[in-house]
Structure formats: structure tokens, C-alpha cells
Amino acid sequence: MKEKLEQIQQQFDDKIKEADSINSIDALRVAYLGKKGELTSVLRGMGALSAEERPVIGQLANVVRNHIEEQIASKTSEIKAIETQKKLASQAIDVTMPSGFQRQGTLHPINVVADEMKDLFIGMGYTVADGPEVEFDYYNFEALNIPDSHPARDTQDTFYIIDNMLLRSQTSSVQVRVMENTKPPIKIICPGKVYRADNVDATHSPIFHQIEGLVVDKGVTMGDLKGTLEVFAKHMFGENTKIRLRPHHFPFTEPSAEVDVSCWTCGGKGCKMCKGEGWIEVLGCGMVHPDVLRRCNIDPEVYSGFAFGIGVERTAMARFGITDMRHLFEGDMRFLSQF
């Protein structure tokens, strides 16, 4: 049996030298150390040995087993190292080579204009306020002097979630929330998405963006509002831009006005862009209605304020000469790559 064990070790040593893969090494392990392997078969015959032979053969068998296991472990490490080197060589990257061309994205024109307007007003001392897009009817309508029966609800028809909850039709709801929780002086802008049940066409969309502004303090006048809007118009449309305020009605401001700017195409002479009028309407504004202040626990005898609302899409269309609002939402790279 001693000769058999020495023969098994010699046979294994010859075959392990020829092994060139993990699979072939594993096959050798099974052939020699498995349940039906060469070494296992020899060990099963130890019961027929004498008491004197048994410990000698057992010790030799352990030596052979340890030798086989060590050779398997060593050869496995050697094969893995070779395979790793081959893999690294096949996947080598020349870091000095120029990378492939990658398209560089740009900001969407809506974001370009919105960011520029926010930067302008922040530079004028305004802070940015935010609020929920899913809003209570009270904040979107009632707190702004628009009760259930008010006709202004028809022009701001929106999407209701439940009877008293809806997708906000204006960011004025954020102004109400700020006035409820902040004591004057207040100087904020409220940018964000708003929703109205409008049909999609060249100048309308059921989803669009607004930036509304609010100032509440002692001694705030219509002159402060006009001066603020003149700074805005000159910054966005050019230093030679003029503005005019036309009387209008908004339930939440008194007095109220629509604001026109001199046409950026013809300078006010009259052209196709302004339909020959020389002026283009860009926003609405007014002095905050005393009833709105009272609902927010602000005394209108002590404080006054102004508010304005700017459509970001309309401003972007004016800024970039876009004639159809739908281009801003369709994601057509032929259009967006111009910006």
C-alpha cells in the first residue's frame, strides 16, 4: 500500500504540471481527492492492515493528501494570475488617446430665461419662496378675493384633485402662504409651474411657468412698482425698452394694470411682431388689495404692497423670437440645439 500511495503522488505530480486551466485543476482534485478518487480508494483498504502498519500508512496518506492539496492551491493561484494578466492585456486602455466625441448639453430656453430673471430680482434684494403645486382652493382663489361665484375662476379654470384641492393656476398662492407666516417687510419672488385647462396652441399651454413678485412694507407705492418693472424690462429686452401701464382688473390687486413693453423688434414703430401697435403685453401687476392683506393678518392701514406676475414662456418667446409656444415643450433637438 505504501508503494501505491507513492505511485498516486507521482502520477498526480505529472498531471498537475500539464494542467492549464481552473477546470482541469478541479478535475484533478475530484480524480484524486473525491469520494471515488484514487487516494480515497486506498484509504478505504486500510481496514485490512495490521495494527502496526495502520499508523504508518495513515501518516503517509496524510502526507500525500497534504501534498496534493498544496499543489492544487499553488497551481490554482498560478493559473489565476496568468488569466488576470491576459485579461488586463486584452482590456488595456491607452489613457493618452483622445476620448470619443460627447455631445455637450445646454440649458433649456425656459431655464435660461427663468434663471436670468431670478438672478435679476435676487440682485434687487428679493428672496425666492416656494410652495406646493397641489394647492387648496382657499389659497389659490378665496384668499385672493376670488370666491366660488367670481367670474375670474372661468379664466383660470384648472385641474381639480378633489372638491377643495387643485393644481395651482398661479403662484400667487405662495404669496398668501408667505404673508400668513411672515411679518412685513416682505420682498419675495415665487417661481414655479402652474396649470390651467387651456387648449394647446401657439400661445397657450395647460402647463406653463410663472415668476410672481411681492413687496409688502410701509410706504410702498405704485411708483415703486413701475420703477421695478422698468428695471426688469430694460434688463430682459434691452436698455432702450420702455414700458406702459394700462388700467386692468385683477381681484387681488387694486389698482391693477397690464404692462406692455415697447416692441423689441421695431422699437415701437409698429411691425408684424407687435401687430403694428408698437407695444407687446408681457405681464400683469398692481397694488395688493387691502382685503388680501387683512386675510393674512397684515394691517392695510399700516402696510401696503405691490405684486406682479410674469409668464416665463412668453418672455422666452419674446427674448428668442419664438413664434410657437409648442416648440418649447416638444423636445425636438433641431429646435433646442439653437440655444
Side-chain angles (χ1 to χ4, degrees):
M1 187 170 287
K2 178 181 178 182
E3 290 77 9
K4 179 64 174 176
L5 289 171
E6 291 173 347
Q7 184 182 2
I8 288 173
Q9 180 171 323
Q10 185 60 50
Q11 288 176 347
F12 174 81
D13 287 345
D14 294 338
K15 291 182 179 180
I16 195 72
K17 294 176 183 178
E18 300 173 0
D20 58 359
S21 68
I22 298 297
N23 289 337
S24 60
I25 293 174
D26 192 58
L28 283 176
R29 182 188 61 77
V30 173
Y32 284 89
L33 302 180
K35 290 182 179 181
K36 298 181 179 179
E38 295 286 343
L39 184 60
T40 306
S41 299
V42 172
L43 294 177
R44 285 199 184 104
M46 288 184 63
L49 299 176
S50 65
E52 291 80 12
E53 292 177 317
R54 213 173 285 160
V56 175
I57 298 301
Q59 184 177 6
L60 180 59
N62 285 334
V63 170
V64 173
R65 174 184 290 277
N66 291 338
H67 174 78
I68 292 174
E69 289 176 346
E70 288 173 1
Q71 290 298 311
I72 287 175
S74 176
K75 192 68 174 181
T76 299
S77 297
E78 179 184 335
I79 295 295
K80 285 183 176 180
I82 293 172
E83 290 180 351
T84 299
Q85 290 300 320
K86 288 181 179 179
K87 188 174 182 181
L88 289 173
S90 66
Q91 297 180 357
I93 299 174
D94 185 353
V95 296
T96 64
M97 290 182 65
S99 63
F101 174 75
Q102 293 184 358
R103 294 179 63 89
Q104 184 175 1
T106 59
L107 289 174
H108 192 279
I110 291 177
N111 295 97
V112 171
V113 171
D115 289 346
E116 187 171 342
M117 287 195 288
K118 283 188 281 188
D119 287 344
L120 169 66
F121 286 111
I122 289 171
M124 295 168 66
Y126 289 73
T127 57
V128 178
D130 193 17
E133 293 181 21
V134 179
E135 187 57 277
F136 289 104
D137 182 280
Y138 173 80
Y139 289 103
N140 196 78
F141 289 127
E142 291 183 27
L144 297 167
N145 274 354
I146 310 177
D148 285 339
S149 58
H150 201 288
R153 292 209 179 201
D154 293 336
T155 61
Q156 294 192 31
D157 191 18
T158 184
F159 303 92
Y160 278 82
I161 309 301
I162 55 177
D163 288 344
N164 68 335
M165 187 172 287
L166 46 82
L167 298 179
R168 67 185 182 191
S169 62
Q170 53 197 346
T171 56
S172 304
S173 57
V174 181
Q175 297 180 14
V176 176
R177 288 180 174 273
V178 171
M179 286 190 288
E180 280 186 342
N181 296 286
T182 307
K183 293 181 179 180
I186 299 170
K187 197 173 184 181
I188 61 169
I189 55 170
C190 313
K193 281 187 290 189
V194 296
Y195 307 82
R196 297 184 187 178
D198 288 335
N199 293 322
V200 177
D201 60 28
T203 57
H204 295 85
S205 170
I207 304 174
F208 58 100
H209 298 76
Q210 276 188 337
I211 289 183
E212 295 198 11
L214 172 71
V215 174
V216 179
D217 203 350
K218 295 178 181 179
V220 176
T221 68
M222 198 80 174
D224 298 316
L225 171 59
K226 185 173 184 293
T228 299
L229 296 180
E230 284 179 340
V231 173
F232 163 76
K234 290 180 181 295
H235 179 82
M236 296 303 297
F237 305 113
E239 279 299 319
N240 296 322
T241 303
K242 298 178 181 179
I243 71 168
R244 72 176 182 183
L245 277 64
R246 290 180 290 105
H248 193 70
H249 170 72
F250 297 115
F252 34 84
T253 52
E254 180 61 38
S256 305
E258 294 278 13
V259 180
D260 302 331
V261 299
S262 54
C263 180
W264 46 83
T265 301
C266 66
K269 297 177 182 179
C271 66
K272 183 179 179 181
M273 176 66 74
C274 60
K275 300 178 181 178
E277 296 180 0
W279 298 91
I280 298 176
E281 178 187 325
V282 292
L283 60 95
C285 66
M287 301 301 291
V288 180
H289 199 291
D291 288 345
V292 175
L293 293 175
R294 289 191 188 95
R295 286 193 182 93
C296 298
N297 297 315
I298 296 174
D299 187 350
E301 299 297 326
V302 178
Y303 296 100
S304 58
F306 66 73
F308 56 84
I310 307 167
V312 179
E313 279 80 1
R314 295 281 178 90
T315 306
M317 291 173 70
R319 185 69 176 278
F320 299 117
I322 300 168
T323 57
D324 194 323
M325 186 182 292
R326 287 169 290 196
H327 293 322
L328 295 169
F329 301 106
E330 291 173 345
D332 190 331
M333 290 302 298
R334 294 171 298 179
F335 169 77
L336 295 176
S337 61
Q338 300 176 74
F339 308 99

